Amino acid sequence: MSNYNVIDYDDRSTPWHRRTYDLEDVDKEGVEVQLSGHLLQDLAFNVGYSYQDWEYDGKYPEMGDRLSDKAKHRVKGSLRYRVLENTLCMLDYSYQSDQIEYGHTTDPVTDETTTYTNRMDSYQVFDLAVEQTLIRDKGYIKDLKLRVYSNNVLDKEYEQARGYPMTDRTSGAALTCSF
């Protein structure tokens, strides 16, 4: 059990329109696991999972929700497969459980603060890419790589913060060079 401070941003009785609440006996449970390695010589993986849950039953029950405005479950994973000596295929996956975000915005003209609650559904996203090394260790150039990618391959509609939708399926190419 720990003490946490939560700020209420819509309190007009204070000079900065906010009041801090000292919450005693807050319980946070969680775990984070990260695992990476090689399944085959040319096939690497990385997978991670995190879980967090907050509990508060004190004298400010409405403030307990503000502690738990993060998703309880998150999963990230990736596969890297070297098809040829200079060709790398990449697959990335991410999942996030539903989430409620509590926040505030301040109007720069009127200095009025508005609090909001944003409910976000769970989502999962896949990204794909193929990277080709064109030049390696020639003259001043260490690596010249061309990457062709597609993010959000399944074109899922989702949001991560403040109600802003994330981008639809995005495809492109990138050329990178290191000296």
Side-chain angles (χ1 to χ4, degrees):
M1 287 190 241
S2 301
N3 289 356
Y4 285 89
N5 290 323
V6 172
I7 299 174
D8 182 359
Y9 287 98
D10 202 21
D11 185 354
R12 299 292 174 189
S13 66
T14 65
W16 296 282
H17 304 290
R18 61 184 181 190
R19 175 182 297 160
T20 302
Y21 294 86
D22 184 18
L23 307 180
E24 297 177 0
D25 298 330
V26 174
D27 292 326
K28 179 183 180 185
E29 298 176 347
V31 66
E32 184 170 333
V33 179
Q34 188 79 22
L35 182 63
S36 60
H38 284 267
L39 298 171
L40 302 170
Q41 181 178 345
D42 294 329
L43 180 60
F45 75 95
N46 186 355
V47 65
Y49 170 75
S50 67
Y51 166 80
Q52 63 177 347
D53 187 26
W54 296 75
E55 290 185 20
Y56 169 71
D57 294 324
K59 60 183 177 178
Y60 307 107
E62 70 279 3
M63 294 296 148
D65 289 339
R66 296 190 185 197
L67 290 171
S68 60
D69 69 347
K70 302 286 185 219
K72 283 188 179 185
H73 304 276
R74 290 180 187 220
V75 177
K76 291 197 176 241
S78 66
L79 291 173
R80 301 292 184 260
Y81 182 57
R82 187 153 307 280
V83 180
L84 302 169
E85 181 181 344
N86 293 321
T87 306
L88 181 65
C89 292
M90 298 173 273
L91 171 65
D92 293 324
Y93 169 79
S94 61
Y95 165 81
Q96 177 177 302
S97 63
D98 58 336
Q99 173 182 350
I100 299 174
E101 178 187 36
Y102 301 92
H104 73 282
T105 58
T106 303
D107 187 309
V109 176
T110 64
D111 202 33
E112 185 174 308
T113 301
T114 305
T115 58
Y116 64 87
T117 301
N118 180 34
R119 298 181 189 283
M120 295 174 275
D121 293 331
S122 64
Y123 66 86
Q124 31 186 350
V125 176
F126 288 93
D127 300 332
L128 290 171
V130 176
E131 183 177 86
Q132 180 69 38
T133 301
L134 304 172
I135 298 174
R136 186 179 310 241
D137 292 327
K138 288 201 178 182
Y140 293 107
I141 298 176
K142 283 191 171 189
D143 283 315
L144 178 64
K145 296 179 181 180
L146 174 64
R147 179 181 291 189
V148 178
Y149 63 88
S150 181
N151 294 335
N152 193 4
V153 174
L154 301 177
D155 202 20
K156 294 290 184 180
E157 291 183 21
Y158 70 102
E159 56 189 81
Q160 285 185 326
R162 296 189 183 182
Y164 297 117
M166 298 305 293
T167 57
D168 297 334
R169 181 182 309 119
T170 307
S171 299
L175 186 64
T176 60
C177 183
S178 7
F179 299 94

